[in-house]
Amino acid sequence: MPHPNPNLRRAPVQQRSADRLARILDACAGLLDEIGYEQLSTRDVALRAEVPIGSVYRFFSNKRALVDALALRNLDLYAGRITDRLAAIPADDWRGAIDAVLDEYLAMKRTVPGFALVDFGPPAPAPDRNAEDDANRRLAGRLTELLAGHLGRDPGPELLRAILVSVEAADALLQLAFRTDPSGDPAIVAETRTLVRAYLAQILD
């Protein structure tokens, strides 16, 4: 189930409001690809979404809250796609499961609007952000739930810590891969896969 979005001033109740919120987030994603985070404005988002500026502020207090909401939507989308991929992978094939996690991230990085700049958190996190709400911690928590459930493992602190370390390492390396090549340098992606597999083998083998 999608996690509650704490960035919303009010959650949509009617389908019409839900559709309007989706248009706002879609507009935000498209503009991020075109003009980046610094140039993004709530007024531009409203114009692109073809809604009054008041509709944006009805849902979001500022640009950061809007972008963070997009990041949470990305995380829900990613988790759903990972769940679909895992359904085709045997429960004892943890390497296949990790490959699915990496492959889906790469696919979304290349195809989902706005994801290249804002995957699971704003490009410039707020200085007062709670450490537990850090984008990589969010991601590690969701992946731990999904992988533990699929592999029949204990989703306790040991697995969570290992997944968090893997996420942090992969994040740094994949940033390098996409700086080197807009589609993700294949050699660096391959090294990332090797590193993550070797590290997780310590607890998953």
Side-chain angles (χ1 to χ4, degrees):
M1 293 291 292
H3 286 198
N5 194 323
N7 301 284
L8 293 178
R9 278 179 155 174
R10 64 174 65 182
V13 176
Q14 299 180 339
Q15 186 61 45
R16 181 179 176 183
S17 292
D19 291 343
R20 180 170 290 188
L21 174 59
R23 288 208 312 277
I24 291 170
L25 292 174
D26 288 345
C28 177
L31 285 166
L32 283 167
D33 282 341
E34 294 172 22
I35 62 176
Y37 178 75
E38 293 301 325
Q39 299 301 316
L40 183 73
S41 74
T42 52
R43 183 168 299 280
D44 289 337
V45 171
L47 287 171
R48 174 67 61 89
E50 299 182 338
V51 302
I53 187 66
S55 293
V56 176
Y57 285 116
R58 185 171 299 134
F59 290 117
F60 304 106
S61 57
N62 54 38
K63 177 175 78 172
R64 178 177 295 280
L66 170 58
V67 172
D68 206 33
L70 176 65
L72 286 176
R73 187 177 76 164
N74 285 341
L75 181 56
D76 285 332
L77 176 62
Y78 182 61
R81 291 186 177 189
I82 292 298
T83 298
D84 291 342
R85 282 182 180 255
L86 291 178
I89 297 172
D92 60 351
D93 182 11
W94 71 261
R95 289 175 177 81
I98 296 304
D99 283 344
V101 167
L102 286 169
D103 290 342
E104 187 55 50
Y105 179 83
L106 293 168
M108 289 181 66
K109 191 86 167 173
R110 293 163 180 154
T111 62
V112 173
F115 194 86
L117 185 59
V118 174
D119 46 20
F120 308 118
D128 59 348
R129 177 178 294 281
N130 188 316
E132 295 303 315
D133 199 35
D134 171 79
N136 282 344
R137 287 183 181 273
R138 286 182 188 171
L139 176 57
R142 291 295 285 276
L143 288 178
T144 300
E145 292 174 10
L146 291 171
L147 292 170
H150 181 72
L151 300 173
R153 303 280 181 149
D154 176 16
E158 183 182 16
L159 181 60
L160 176 59
R161 182 171 57 251
I163 296 297
L164 177 59
V165 169
S166 299
V167 165
E168 290 284 356
D171 182 35
L173 288 170
L174 292 177
Q175 285 186 43
L176 173 62
F178 280 88
R179 285 199 306 271
T180 305
D181 180 333
S183 297
D185 182 89
I188 297 175
V189 170
E191 293 290 344
T192 303
R193 196 181 304 274
T194 298
L195 183 150
V196 171
R197 280 180 162 203
Y199 171 71
L200 288 177
Q202 301 174 88
I203 66 166
L204 293 179
D205 265 347

